[in-house]
Amino acid sequence: MNENQKNQSDIGVVGLAVMGQNLILNMNDNGYVVTAYNRTTSKVDEFIANEAKDTNVVGVHSLEELVSSLKSPRKIMLMIKAGDAVDQEIDKLIPLLEKGDIIIDGGNSLYTDTSRREKYVSSKGLLYVGTGVSGGEEGARHGPSIMPGGSPEAWPYVKDIFQKISAKVDNDVPCCDWVGQGGAGHYVKMVHNGIEYGDMQLICEAYDLLKKYAGLSNDRIAQIFDEWNKGELDSYLIEITADILAFKENDESLIDKIMDTAGQKGTGKWTVVDSAQLGQPVTLISEAVFARCLSSIKDERVAASAILQGPSSKLENNAEEFIESVRQALYAAKIVSYAQGYMLMRAAAKEYGWDLNYGGIALMWRGGCIIRSRFLGKIKEAYETNPALTNLLIDPFFVQELTTSQDSLRKTVATAALAGIPLPAMSSALSFYDGYRSAKLPASLLQAQRDYFGAHTYERIDTPKGEMHHTNWTGQGGTTSSGSYNV
């Protein structure tokens, strides 16, 4: 870096893996001067000589050079692996920065880490932004969904950059807006990823039914997904599924050569853990996470397949009717999945004091991100019509959609059960729907059981709510009850 480059860059980016590189090039395309730094400095030189050749990107070999290259207030975005590495980089940067400078974490950090870091960085007189970035390599390069949170004072300084590089929908509306304080941005990204797990699992279950039960070829199923992508299921994941199933290697379907063991980076698991902590029944995402866990024990499954028995029936006629039933089942289950995701965000907002804009979140997810779809426009409309909506399932549009599609979900789940084909996500969607619409559940018996063996008390329907009771069920116990509490 020469003297003329000092204090000229609009933003600095630390980390030159695929996401970092593509975000830098995206920023450059939008007229921003970016300073790039990587701990392995040879990667900086390679980037400047190749991908960033003939751009205005500045390459540096130290954090000191990075800091001195930036306009005030300095904005430094970390695109590095989540975890301890982020804390270490923050500690290296703090002594080099001045009051009002901004550190941005654009990785997949756990929201509680972001909340902790925001408080820590603020105590040093600096500002902190934890932002979810979704869209993968393509999104980062051409327009991702960006979900920023943290120090509200930082938003005016990063708003223009983030909104210009983000995806655009609905007449150039950016898929980026301020989410909330502390870890709110990374929380919303976490829920996005949890919903992504659910969407992917639902699509896999639909594929499994069409292949195993209906006996359709990969080419035919690819055509089906391509057709579905022209209707209400229009989405990025449906689109790429059609491409994947049609892809050939040496004139053979590549999908049939891929091992059926799925990996995960942890954000889906975080969603499930947090839903349990907040007492929210996010059952579909949970089943999607556990489906990946089950897939990973491949050797056990292969051994069990030679021992455990089950049905293996096939579709005998009317494939078109069955295909339509699976389509509607996938759509109905998808509605339930998103409803659960929004339930979790509402609970988190109440727990952590965030003022989340649920319609705005749907808009941020409309473009750039992995779960982008036409469907999200209806969620945005639902929350714009009723910002206090308690659950998407009772929005008039989704009530009508589920009224139309639930029979197909029931038939599909029943057919799969009789055919011995696992549908963990679709089955959980149906169970949740039926549970949520039930005015009375068998938890009265459960409460009686708890009181019987542990004197945990129960409420009665004929006494005021909150008044607890204990019964001496056997005639041999006493009248003393344990404390009543919920975890």
Side-chain angles (χ1 to χ4, degrees):
M1 183 180 67
N2 60 45
E3 288 297 317
N4 293 330
Q5 290 173 321
K6 285 191 174 182
N7 307 118
Q8 292 301 307
S9 293
D10 299 293
I11 188 169
V13 175
V14 176
L16 292 179
V18 63
M19 289 293 286
Q21 287 193 16
N22 282 309
L23 279 175
I24 290 170
L25 296 174
N26 187 348
M27 292 174 184
N28 178 81
D29 289 348
N30 280 279
Y32 296 103
V33 178
V34 187
T35 297
Y37 169 73
N38 195 80
R39 185 177 62 177
T40 305
T41 55
S42 60
K43 199 160 187 177
V44 177
D45 298 332
E46 292 168 8
F47 178 55
I48 295 298
N50 294 285
E51 293 87 355
K53 186 178 181 180
D54 299 325
T55 69
N56 293 322
V57 178
V58 178
V60 295
H61 290 171
S62 70
L63 289 176
E64 289 80 4
E65 284 184 284
L66 172 71
V67 169
S68 67
S69 75
L70 301 175
K71 298 175 183 176
S72 185
R74 300 175 183 90
K75 298 172 281 291
I76 298 175
M77 188 168 189
L78 307 180
M79 294 301 299
I80 59 180
K81 186 178 179 180
D84 292 341
V86 177
D87 292 306
Q88 293 168 12
E89 210 66 29
I90 289 170
D91 283 336
K92 292 176 186 175
L93 282 169
I94 285 175
L96 306 176
L97 299 176
E98 298 175 351
K99 184 177 181 179
D101 288 345
I102 304 162
I103 298 175
I104 306 160
D105 175 15
N108 261 339
S109 289
L110 181 60
Y111 76 96
T112 50
D113 287 341
T114 302
S115 295
R116 169 179 57 79
R117 290 167 183 151
E118 191 266 331
K119 292 176 183 176
Y120 172 62
V121 170
S122 295
S123 73
K124 304 297 183 180
L126 306 172
L127 302 178
Y128 192 78
V129 175
T131 184
V133 179
S134 179
E137 179 180 354
E138 178 190 351
R141 184 65 184 87
H142 301 292
S145 171
I146 304 177
M147 298 153 262
S151 308
E153 302 88 346
W155 178 232
Y157 297 104
V158 301
K159 179 179 180 180
D160 286 346
I161 296 176
F162 282 4
Q163 292 193 336
K164 281 185 180 178
I165 68 170
S166 71
K168 308 294 188 299
V169 294
D170 299 342
N171 298 318
D172 214 33
V173 176
C175 294
C176 170
D177 206 349
W178 187 251
V179 177
Q181 291 181 283
H186 273 133
Y187 193 93
V188 168
K189 175 57 168 28
M190 178 190 78
V191 175
H192 163 282
N193 284 22
I195 291 173
E196 177 187 311
Y197 274 54
D199 271 357
M200 294 171 74
Q201 179 62 28
L202 288 170
I203 290 170
C204 288
E205 291 175 11
Y207 160 72
D208 209 28
L209 277 170
L210 296 174
K211 189 173 180 69
K212 288 181 180 175
Y213 183 68
L216 304 179
S217 69
N218 291 324
D219 287 340
R220 176 67 183 109
I221 303 172
Q223 292 173 352
I224 290 167
F225 275 97
D226 187 59
E227 291 163 8
W228 287 357
N229 199 47
K230 296 178 174 67
E232 56 203 2
L233 286 173
D234 170 19
S235 68
Y236 174 69
L237 286 171
I238 293 287
E239 175 188 340
I240 69 169
T241 299
D243 290 345
I244 290 166
L245 295 176
F247 193 89
K248 297 287 197 302
E249 186 180 77
N250 299 323
D251 293 325
E252 296 180 339
S253 292
L254 178 58
I255 188 65
D256 292 334
K257 298 180 181 181
I258 297 175
M259 183 72 74
D260 60 323
T261 55
Q264 52 183 313
K265 289 190 173 180
T267 46
K269 181 177 71 175
W270 293 346
T271 307
V272 174
V273 170
D274 204 68
S275 69
Q277 291 174 336
L278 293 176
Q280 296 300 304
V282 183
T283 55
L284 194 150
I285 295 171
S286 299
E287 289 294 348
V289 170
F290 293 133
R292 294 196 188 193
C293 296
L294 183 60
S295 79
S296 70
I297 54 172
K298 172 74 172 178
D299 291 344
E300 288 186 47
R301 289 189 289 111
V302 171
S305 69
I307 301 169
L308 302 178
Q309 302 299 310
S312 58
S313 59
K314 302 283 186 181
L315 180 67
E316 295 181 357
N317 49 40
N318 209 340
E320 292 306 313
E321 181 179 319
F322 180 70
I323 292 167
E324 174 59 16
S325 181
V326 173
R327 184 193 70 81
Q328 290 195 32
L330 176 57
Y331 181 52
K334 183 182 177 82
I335 293 173
V336 172
S337 180
Y338 282 66
Q340 291 183 356
Y342 270 81
M343 286 172 63
L344 182 56
M345 287 191 290
R346 285 183 63 86
K350 182 178 180 180
E351 178 74 14
Y352 306 124
W354 298 331
D355 183 19
L356 300 183
N357 180 345
Y358 302 107
I361 291 168
L363 176 63
M364 281 188 274
W365 292 348
R366 278 285 310 282
C369 67
I370 303 302
I371 65 170
R372 60 185 182 265
S373 65
R374 178 192 303 185
F375 174 84
L376 284 157
K378 293 299 182 181
I379 296 179
K380 177 176 176 287
E381 291 174 14
Y383 281 105
E384 284 182 341
T385 301
N386 181 10
L389 183 66
T390 56
N391 194 298
L392 277 173
L393 298 185
I394 60 173
D395 171 76
F397 172 80
F398 291 111
V399 168
Q400 181 56 49
E401 295 300 281
L402 285 167
T403 299
T404 301
S405 60
Q406 66 168 286
D407 282 352
S408 290
L409 179 59
R410 295 182 190 284
K411 291 175 184 176
T412 301
V413 169
T415 297
L418 293 172
I421 296 174
L423 296 187
M426 285 193 190
S427 298
S428 70
L430 180 58
S431 291
F432 178 85
Y433 177 76
D434 284 337
Y436 191 72
R437 69 180 186 85
S438 295
K440 186 172 178 60
L441 291 169
S444 52
L445 176 57
L446 190 151
Q447 288 295 78
Q449 291 169 335
R450 294 178 72 243
D451 190 56
Y452 188 109
F453 66 68
H456 292 298
T457 72
Y458 56 86
E459 291 178 283
R460 297 176 62 102
I461 61 174
D462 54 359
T463 60
K465 187 173 176 61
E467 183 178 308
M468 308 307 295
H469 302 267
H470 168 60
T471 293
N472 182 352
W473 296 91
T474 64
Q476 297 175 358
T479 58
T480 303
S481 64
S482 70
S484 298
Y485 62 91
N486 288 305
V487 294

